[in-house]
Amino acid sequence: MTDLTHLDDAETVAIEATREGGPVDQPHKTTFADITTSRHVRPIVPASLRSAAGRRALVVDTGRLAVHAAGFHLVRLPLYLGRIAVYAPRGVVRTAWRIGHWAAAEEGNWHLRQQAANSNDPNVWLQLDARRQRQSSWRWPLVLTLGFAVAVSGAVFARFAPGGKWALVAALFLLAGWLGRPADKPIVDRVTLGGRFIRLTAELTREALVACGAGIKDGSQVAFNREIYRDGPGHTAVVSLPSGVIATDVIDKREYLAAGFRLPLDQVWPDPVDGEHPGVLSIWVADKPVSAMRQPAWPLLAGGEADFFGELPYGFDVRMRPVSWVLAERNSLFGGVPGSGKTLAARTVAAGAALDPLVVFLISELKGSGDLDAFEPLCPEGMYVSGADERSLHRTIEILEYLLQECETRGPLIRGWVARGYGKDNKLNRRIAEADPRLRPLVAIFDEVQELITHKELGKVAAAMLTSIIKRGRSLGIHLILSTQRIDKESIPKAISSNVVNRVALAVTSHIETDLILGTGAYSRGARPTAFRPGRDAGWGCVTGLVQPVRAAYLDNDAVKAIVGRAVELRAGMTAPTAERVRAYNLAEDVRQVWPAGQSGVWLIDLLQLLQGLRPDVYGDLDPTALGAALRAAGVEVVKLHRKIEGKGHTRPGVRLEAVTAVLEAADPAIGAIGR
């Protein structure tokens, strides 16, 4: 049986286990190793002081508040003096009465004397009054002596100190006004509006958890794993919830939890605790709403370079701690409803990558808004697409063909450099990229990629190509940045989303979209991008691997243009990248090469097996439907073919030999090919 005992005015709960009989396990003795290796050891330097941005934000916020408060009170100074003038006479009378009342010892046994008088008992009254007089006999001399000393000191100060007379008068005037003020009418107005939040306490936390309606009936059952501590611009409480209540129960009731604290919603942030059991909850309460905090500037905005193979600055979490982004050996996916800030977030990542002079960009912006136009100078000729028309979609296929070609050519080149001692693993590193211009890192951005994947003719082929690039290009220095506003299994096939490491769910409508972007079970583990509001919360998102939401650093068009201008200067003197459209593997030629002898027509399902045997890397991710779409895009007609198997007739989609031959004789047989 476990007894949870609440300690008054404390932030911990003592847990005492009582059992009948002796203990089953020997008591554990805490050693120095237990303390030094504990993951709950508090950091030496507070989180708000561990980074230059945090220290700068602390100084700036404090200075801004001080300047605002000074101006606020300076404007109201005549009002304050008027109030003091009204309260000062009352303060003089009140102070004189209090001193006389204390010197006469009237506060001691007055109620007993009154009771004796009411009962007409003069003996008791006289005894009590004699006691009062004995107390008063030493108080009056003390008051007179102190009064004389204060008067003499004041006279000396007023006589000999420069301006002492006026300083003394001002001090007495202010003191009299302060002593005479009404209890409910302060002299000085408050600078801030609303309820003033001082700090998080154990009792306040328990009351809010009970009030949120997550199944907690008794606040004393909430155990504090450690004392409430200062954490950046706020306080954090880590609690163990009662049996049967888990962290996500409270997270789902975040609005009610904030109401329990009597604070705005974006000032209260409950989160599960990584590495703990599901019943442990972390509650971070900010000093002020996060929306009222000024986000620190992007670290590379004023100057500096970046490293594709290291960490890039991305944004900040709710505690204004910097969050970095990793490109090497990863890919990125941004998903959210329109207005959630997908392009803004992806553009922040691209801005960081641009400040590495080795990086080459390939961009397809299928919205046609021009949000990525600033990056066009960093793209090889023909490798920047912006538009929502059919031509833009076909040009995007050309970019994918080029990337597939890079997947094939880069592998042998990297292995050659590793054999020469440029690395230990068969993957691209900075030393190899600097030594071989052919192996510069590629960052390919596909904005509104759902327009391509859901295309009637090109969609299946594009999805297969993207899947192949994501799987193969990771170690070859190829990083894809995908963004989509349509979030379903057709727009983000499982083969794509499950192979992307960096995933961000911005504002979405339900748990279904959350799990589609972040992975199955993300919503049940506490990810709540459904709480973000499009437009107002643009850039806020839940990131895989992080507990708290993250907001991408805001870079407007002018800032992005300035960053790209610096990026162009960093590339001065370097060989300009070229990405001429590489003729894709001719699908018609591959089909003709594997065509079974003596047959005039072949089903797609059989043809796909033959093609996969010829080029498994190119055709391995296709299905018969995708192959049919690729053949139609290449100009090969797909028809229904009827065949008899064991005497029974079957009709399935396929192609005829004359259709393949006609395409081979065409002027541009590579159009619509699978890719090289």
Side-chain angles (χ1 to χ4, degrees):
M1 177 180 178
T2 302
D3 177 32
L4 300 180
T5 306
H6 174 54
L7 303 180
D8 293 336
D9 300 326
E11 293 177 351
T12 59
V13 172
I15 302 179
E16 180 183 357
T18 58
R19 302 175 183 271
E20 294 183 1
V24 176
D25 300 322
Q26 293 297 323
H28 173 69
K29 295 182 179 179
T30 302
T31 65
F32 180 74
D34 294 327
I35 298 175
T36 56
T37 59
S38 172
R39 64 185 171 195
H40 299 298
V41 172
R42 294 182 63 179
I44 296 175
V45 180
S48 57
L49 300 178
R50 261 181 261 157
S51 65
R55 293 188 294 270
R56 184 166 52 252
L58 181 63
V59 173
V60 170
D61 287 346
T62 303
R64 184 183 294 111
L65 179 60
V67 172
H68 179 81
F72 181 89
H73 293 310
L74 184 63
V75 171
R76 289 162 178 77
L77 186 58
L79 176 62
Y80 299 160
L81 293 176
R83 290 175 179 174
I84 293 174
V86 173
Y87 299 153
R90 183 189 303 174
V92 173
V93 174
R94 182 181 293 177
T95 302
W97 182 86
R98 288 176 178 174
I99 293 175
H101 191 72
W102 178 82
E106 290 290 345
E107 83 286 351
N109 53 15
W110 67 270
H111 58 288
L112 296 176
R113 285 185 282 122
Q114 183 63 43
Q115 185 177 357
N118 294 338
S119 61
N120 197 19
D121 190 347
N123 293 329
V124 174
W125 190 92
L126 291 173
Q127 292 176 5
L128 294 173
D129 190 59
R131 181 179 178 84
R132 180 194 64 79
Q133 292 178 11
R134 286 195 298 272
Q135 292 177 340
S136 178
S137 61
W138 62 268
R139 294 188 182 186
W140 277 113
L142 178 62
V143 169
L144 294 175
T145 302
L146 292 176
F148 178 76
V150 171
V152 172
S153 300
V156 172
F157 178 79
R159 176 67 179 82
F160 296 102
K165 178 174 66 176
W166 297 111
L168 184 62
V169 171
L172 293 175
F173 178 67
L174 294 176
L175 179 62
W178 182 75
L179 293 173
R181 76 193 189 285
D184 60 339
K185 294 181 179 180
I187 297 174
V188 179
D189 293 336
R190 286 179 52 184
V191 178
T192 57
L193 299 176
R196 184 181 179 187
F197 178 70
I198 305 299
R199 70 182 296 268
L200 194 63
T201 64
E203 197 58 37
L204 180 62
T205 303
R206 289 192 177 97
E207 291 177 359
L209 287 171
V210 172
C212 76
I216 304 172
K217 304 298 183 182
D218 185 1
S220 64
Q221 294 182 349
V222 177
F224 285 78
N225 293 20
R226 56 174 296 183
E227 74 277 5
I228 295 175
Y229 61 96
R230 182 73 180 172
D231 189 2
H235 292 83
T236 293
V238 182
V239 301
S240 291
L241 302 173
S243 299
V245 182
I246 61 177
T248 51
D249 292 337
V250 178
I251 294 172
D252 286 333
K253 298 286 186 177
R254 181 178 163 222
E255 292 184 353
Y256 297 95
L257 182 68
F261 281 112
R262 298 294 189 268
L263 293 173
L265 181 63
D266 62 342
Q267 199 169 343
V268 180
W269 298 90
D271 296 295
V273 179
D274 189 28
E276 295 286 358
H277 64 82
V280 177
L281 175 71
S282 171
I283 305 176
W284 185 71
V285 178
D287 296 335
K288 59 182 178 180
V290 173
S291 58
M293 296 183 186
R294 184 175 181 180
Q295 191 181 47
W298 192 60
L300 298 178
L301 185 61
E305 296 185 23
D307 182 6
F308 175 89
F309 301 94
E311 293 185 351
L312 305 178
Y314 172 67
F316 304 88
D317 64 8
V318 296
R319 310 184 197 196
M320 298 301 142
R321 297 176 298 190
V323 176
S324 59
W325 202 264
V326 177
L327 296 178
E329 300 186 58
R330 298 187 180 187
N331 295 282
S332 300
L333 172 64
F334 298 87
V337 299
S340 60
K342 301 180 300 299
T343 305
L344 180 151
R347 195 169 66 173
T348 302
V349 175
L355 293 177
D356 184 342
L358 295 179
V359 171
V360 177
F361 282 89
L362 302 93
I363 297 176
S364 171
E365 189 262 295
L366 295 176
K367 186 167 49 178
S369 61
D371 290 335
L372 301 174
D373 284 352
F375 294 92
E376 186 172 3
L378 305 179
C379 299
E381 185 178 355
M383 288 294 151
Y384 179 81
V385 177
S386 179
D389 54 1
E390 288 292 318
R391 176 172 173 76
S392 297
L393 292 171
H394 281 87
R395 289 181 61 195
T396 303
I397 292 294
E398 294 181 8
I399 294 177
L400 294 177
E401 291 173 356
Y402 173 77
L403 290 172
L404 281 172
Q405 165 69 15
E406 288 293 300
C407 288
E408 289 202 0
T409 60
R410 287 185 170 227
L413 292 174
I414 293 174
R415 288 197 299 271
W417 284 104
V418 171
R420 294 164 60 181
Y422 276 69
K424 296 182 179 180
D425 300 317
N426 290 333
K427 58 186 179 183
L428 186 66
N429 56 44
R430 189 165 194 85
R431 188 181 177 193
I432 297 175
E434 290 175 338
D436 192 340
R438 297 172 296 176
L439 295 174
R440 293 170 61 179
L442 300 177
V443 173
I445 305 175
F446 297 93
D447 193 20
E448 304 298 349
V449 70
Q450 79 280 350
E451 297 298 322
L452 180 64
I453 296 178
T454 58
H455 191 270
K456 183 177 180 180
E457 295 182 357
L458 304 176
K460 293 286 185 178
V461 177
M465 297 169 76
L466 283 168
T467 302
S468 180
I469 296 167
I470 288 173
K471 290 179 178 179
R472 300 165 60 192
R474 184 183 63 84
S475 61
L476 305 176
I478 300 175
H479 184 98
L480 301 190
I481 299 178
L482 311 177
S483 70
T484 177
Q485 62 177 256
R486 180 176 170 183
I487 307 164
D488 51 40
K489 61 182 181 180
E490 288 77 23
S491 303
I492 312 178
K494 187 71 173 177
I496 293 177
S497 61
S498 61
N499 286 288
V500 175
V501 176
N502 299 337
R503 286 175 278 178
V504 183
L506 295 101
V508 297
T509 56
S510 72
H511 68 281
I512 298 175
E513 290 82 2
T514 302
D515 287 350
L516 280 172
I517 299 172
L518 300 179
T520 303
Y523 192 89
S524 63
R525 291 191 296 270
R528 292 295 184 273
T530 51
F532 302 134
R533 294 155 294 185
R536 182 170 180 178
D537 296 326
W540 278 106
C542 294
V543 182
T544 50
L546 297 179
V547 175
Q548 287 194 337
V550 175
R551 188 176 193 179
Y554 178 70
L555 299 174
D556 59 21
N557 290 334
D558 293 337
V560 173
K561 290 178 181 178
I563 292 170
V564 173
R566 286 163 46 203
V568 172
E569 293 177 359
L570 290 174
R571 289 159 173 78
M574 299 179 63
T575 303
T578 58
E580 296 180 1
R581 181 175 185 269
V582 179
R583 179 172 292 275
Y585 272 121
N586 193 310
L587 177 58
E589 288 183 356
D590 286 349
V591 170
R592 187 66 184 88
Q593 184 176 345
V594 299
W595 193 271
Q599 294 194 24
S600 60
V602 179
W603 284 343
L604 292 181
I605 189 171
D606 297 329
L607 186 59
L608 179 60
Q609 293 180 358
L610 297 172
L611 290 171
Q612 289 174 343
L614 176 66
R615 306 188 197 281
D617 289 343
V618 176
Y619 303 107
D621 294 317
L622 296 184
D623 58 18
T625 303
L627 177 60
L631 288 167
R632 292 189 189 94
V636 178
E637 183 183 7
V638 178
V639 298
K640 296 289 186 180
L641 296 179
H642 183 79
R643 288 173 51 188
K644 286 188 176 181
I645 301 178
E646 297 180 354
K648 184 180 293 186
H650 298 272
T651 301
R652 295 178 181 176
V655 294
R656 298 188 182 277
L657 180 59
E658 57 266 24
V660 177
T661 303
V663 169
L664 288 175
E665 295 173 353
D668 188 6
I671 296 177
I674 293 297
R676 198 169 186 173

